Amino acid sequence: MGGDYQTTIDRAGRAIAAGSVLGGLLILALLLASGQRSPAGLLAGGMVGALCVAVALTAVAGPIWLALHACGFRRGRHAAWLIGLLGLGLFAGVQGHGTGLFTIAPIDTRSWLLGLAAKTALGIAVAAAAAGIGIVMWRIAYSSIRS
């Protein structure tokens, strides 16, 4: 089902570190896209973002990945789905102030559908970027066994 893929604890640690750095860069890109231009704000946002991504990868994705690994789901597409869905969930949670739903500012009530479409498109883009991070992490953590 999952192929013959193996990893070691040090490779898994490097994968989490790489995912944290890439996640921090993704958050930095989101800050830049939102108009943040203060160097101190960008640096703090990127560093806090990388720390939050590290916690999410370790506390949330780690146990789920262990279960998937034990069940034989060890391919890159499984890592992409897991990290992509985790990224989408975190993004939706932040956008909805913890509710898990996208919220639209009261000033946008006349263009509610347009605002919802924009946030949905951004959520899909974030999920795709997170899935890419999952692939990078998988490539670092696993090596295919060729007998």
Side-chain angles (χ1 to χ4, degrees), residues 88-122:
L88 178 62
L90 290 173
F91 178 76
V94 168
Q95 292 296 309
H97 306 288
T99 64
L101 302 171
F102 293 133
T103 57
I104 307 298
I107 198 166
D108 291 336
T109 54
R110 286 179 278 176
S111 61
W112 181 82
L113 190 58
L114 181 61
L116 184 62
K119 286 196 174 190
T120 301
L122 185 57

Side-chain angles (χ1 to χ4, degrees), residues 11-76:
R11 290 179 67 118
R14 283 185 277 166
I16 290 174
S20 301
V21 169
L22 292 172
L25 290 174
L26 175 60
I27 291 171
L28 184 64
L30 289 170
L31 287 171
L32 283 168
S34 71
Q36 175 66 260
R37 295 292 181 255
S38 164
L42 290 171
L43 180 64
M47 290 175 60
V48 169
L51 179 64
C52 290
V53 169
V55 169
L57 288 173
T58 305
V60 179
I64 296 170
W65 185 255
L66 284 175
L68 289 173
H69 180 90
C71 292
F73 297 105
R74 302 174 185 171
R75 294 185 184 266

